[in-house]
Structures are given as structure tokens and as C-alpha cells.
Amino acid sequence: MTTARAHRRLRRSARPRPRGVRAASAVGVLAVLVLAVGAWLPLVGFLAGATATTAGLVPFPAVRVGVVTVLGLVVVLGFLALAITRRHTATAWAAVTLAVLVGTAVSLSPVVTVAIGSADRAGDVWPVVTGLVERFAG
């Protein structure tokens, strides 16, 4: 009796994943790679280049961007692993959707942090500009 039960359990866990799970996993991995290579890398390169060419006037918070990227990568890989290991297609698609949403948020986070840093820097620049105008005007 116990061997028959163990055989059924082994057989149930050894069944192949549904085609929908494999499709969802492939779409998720492809979408995350496209986000990383097509959006995040060029965006970070452009923002770092803007910081370099403006002599730091446009700040690039590399530590914040790095931390957000690493944490986002861990979460995205977790969702993709969840999608790959599921047996139900709907669960796999839900995990892939969450992975793509987190990947999109991570790709857009450098723009937000640079915009916030630039706004803070612009507040610091205005008193310097007015002081220079006062000094030359009068």
C-alpha cells in the first residue's frame, strides 16, 4: 500500500509543466531582458554621461541607483523563479506580470532620483546666481 502511494506521489510531481507555464516563463525572461538592455542600461548611461558633462550640476546618485537596482533584481528574479516553478498557467502569468512591473519601476527609478536630486540642486544654485547678479550689478 505504501509503495503504491509513493509511486503516485512520484508520478504526480514528475509530470511536465503545462505549455502555458513555459510560455509565461519565456515571455517573462525575455521582457525583463529587454527592459534591462533596452531601457535601464541606456538610461543609466545617459544620466551618468549628463552628470559627467555638466561637472556635477546634474547629480547622479550612484549608490541609490545601485541599491534600487540590486533589490529590484532580487525581486524580479524571485518572481521569475516563482513563475518557472508553478504548475498552473494563471499563477505563472501573474508572477511574470509582477516581475515585469517591478522591472519597469526599477528602470524608471534612476530618472526619478536624478530629477529629485536636480530639483534639490536647483534650489541650491539659485542663491549663488542671485549673489553673482547682485555682485556684478551693483
Side-chain angles (χ1 to χ4, degrees), residues 45-130:
F46 172 75
L47 293 173
T51 299
T53 58
T54 59
L57 189 61
V58 176
F60 184 75
V63 173
R64 277 191 224 157
V65 171
V67 168
V68 168
T69 300
V70 169
L71 290 176
L73 180 65
V74 168
V75 171
V76 166
L77 289 177
F79 279 131
L80 289 178
L82 183 71
I84 291 168
T85 59
R86 297 301 95 191
R87 297 248 182 240
H88 298 286
T89 303
T91 308
W93 278 108
V96 163
T97 302
L98 290 172
V100 170
L101 289 173
V102 171
T104 303
V106 169
S107 295
L108 294 177
S109 68
V111 174
V112 173
T113 56
V114 167
I116 290 170
S118 295
D120 290 344
R121 183 72 50 98
D124 295 341
V125 169
W126 186 250
V128 173
V129 171
T130 56

